[in-house]
């Protein structure tokens, strides 16, 4: 069995429904980086993404790692690229109408139906920026899975810590299913009997907007029960 030093969630007396969301263009009308950060480093949005995608293409590089590198590189001489600064940009991210009160409203509705509703983010965007949003600060999300940076002792980003995209998004559904939420908890690979599964896939909803969300949608839909 895996090391049990991590805090895990266990099966509840009530059924649990997990609603999982992409972020950019799902909860927010545009990429989070395009809502202040790109402009602050002297780039227009189209040019930034074109340069980032070319970097990935020319170097057989993951596109998410490319944009993270570009964000750090373009900050040189313009701003100190810190966790606090990224959270500041996150605080400026616009959300679609109705998103602000959606999470608590649905959670309360679930309680009325004797169901526990939990909200999760599974995004290729930046965790630090998502953590700066008003909804994250209000405690809307049970867990945020997103690309993130490693920061030095001064809070300055120096290396990618996590990158989330395409099919590797699906690993987080398995974590949610078993209640093994910490990304370093190898217990996600343990066998769980059906009666010990905390959130069966049939109790999951995945909401996204793009090709990167298809693997998660397909996985969740595979377990849909048609009555």
């Amino acid at each position: 069995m895996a090391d049990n030093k991590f805090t895990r969630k266990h099966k509840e007396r009530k059924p649990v429904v997990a609603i999982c969301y992409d972020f950019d263009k799902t909860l927010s009308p545009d990429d989070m980086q395009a809502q202040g950060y790109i402009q602050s480093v002297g780039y227009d949005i189209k040019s930034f993404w074109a340069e980032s995608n070319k970097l990935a293409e020319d170097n057989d590089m993951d596109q998410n790692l490319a944009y993270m590198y570009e964000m750090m590189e373009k900050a040189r001489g313009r701003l100190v690229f810190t966790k606090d600064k990224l959270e500041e940009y996150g605080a400026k991210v616009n959300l679609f109408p109705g998103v602000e009160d959606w999470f608590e409203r649905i959670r309360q509705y679930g309680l009325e139906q004797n169901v526990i509703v939990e909200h999760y983010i599974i995004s290729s965007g930046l965790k630090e920026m998502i953590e700066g949003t008003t909804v994250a600060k209000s405690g809307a999300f049970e867990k945020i899975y997103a690309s993130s940076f490693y920061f030095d002792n001064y809070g300055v980003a120096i290396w990618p810590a996590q990158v989330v995209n395409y099919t590797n998004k699906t690993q987080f559904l398995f974590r949610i299913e078993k209640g093994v939420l910490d990304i370093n908890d190898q217990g996600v690979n343990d066998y769980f009997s059906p009666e010990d599964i905390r959130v069966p896939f049939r109790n999951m909803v995945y909401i996204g907007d793009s090709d990167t969300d298809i693997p998660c949608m397909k996985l969740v839909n595979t377990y849909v029960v048609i009555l």
Side-chain angles (χ1 to χ4, degrees):
M1 295 289 288
D3 191 334
N4 62 2
K5 67 180 180 180
F6 301 100
T7 301
R8 298 177 182 173
K9 289 182 173 291
H10 300 285
K11 191 165 184 177
E12 311 281 349
R13 291 182 179 272
K14 298 178 180 179
V16 179
V17 171
I19 308 180
C20 308
Y21 310 82
D22 178 44
F23 194 91
D24 292 335
K25 301 179 182 176
T26 298
L27 301 180
S28 177
D30 203 352
D31 295 318
M32 61 186 72
Q33 301 89 343
Q35 299 184 52
Y37 176 80
I38 291 175
Q39 296 88 335
S40 73
V41 294
Y43 267 68
D44 68 78
I45 296 167
K46 186 176 180 180
S47 297
F48 178 89
W49 289 119
E51 188 169 316
S52 175
N53 291 336
K54 187 174 188 305
L55 176 68
E57 184 178 344
D58 290 347
N59 295 279
D60 290 332
M61 190 176 186
D62 182 279
Q63 285 190 344
N64 285 352
L65 288 171
Y67 91 65
M68 293 171 76
Y69 173 83
E70 286 291 297
M71 287 184 73
M72 292 176 58
E73 186 66 19
K74 302 311 178 193
R76 294 180 186 275
R78 294 179 181 273
L79 58 90
V80 182
F81 196 72
T82 62
K83 184 174 183 178
D84 288 344
K85 180 60 69 174
L86 289 172
E87 287 189 5
E88 284 180 26
Y89 284 112
K92 300 173 185 177
V93 168
N94 293 316
L95 301 172
F96 280 117
V99 168
E100 288 279 357
D101 66 355
W102 162 264
F103 306 102
E104 186 56 31
R105 182 159 57 88
I106 297 303
R107 188 181 288 114
Q108 290 302 318
Y109 176 76
L111 292 177
E112 293 169 11
Q113 307 303 316
N114 211 32
V115 172
I116 299 170
V117 177
E118 296 178 345
H119 304 286
Y120 294 85
I121 294 292
I122 304 177
S123 171
S124 296
L126 283 178
K127 182 179 180 182
E128 292 80 19
M129 292 185 72
I130 296 171
E131 288 175 337
T133 62
T134 54
V135 285
K137 286 187 176 297
S138 70
F141 308 120
E142 197 72 24
K143 189 78 172 179
I144 297 172
Y145 294 114
S147 300
S148 61
F149 287 99
Y150 165 67
F151 299 89
D152 65 16
N153 293 335
Y154 300 98
V156 178
I158 58 174
W159 198 262
Q162 178 78 8
V163 62
V164 175
N165 63 13
Y166 292 95
T167 53
N168 82 347
K169 281 187 172 186
T170 61
Q171 69 165 298
F172 304 113
L173 297 181
F174 287 100
R175 291 194 174 280
I176 294 166
E177 178 198 37
K178 296 178 177 181
V180 182
L181 301 184
D182 193 289
I183 61 170
N184 288 308
D185 189 343
Q186 297 300 308
V188 71
N189 298 314
D190 292 347
Y191 171 76
F192 281 58
S193 61
E195 60 270 21
D196 291 330
I197 292 295
R198 185 171 184 271
V199 189
F201 281 117
R202 64 178 179 273
N203 287 11
M204 291 187 191
V205 178
Y206 187 89
I207 302 174
D209 68 283
S210 70
D211 291 350
T212 64
D213 300 307
I214 290 175
C216 282
M217 291 177 174
K218 185 172 182 180
L219 180 59
V220 169
N221 284 338
T222 298
Y223 293 89
V224 169
V225 177
I226 300 176
L227 300 178

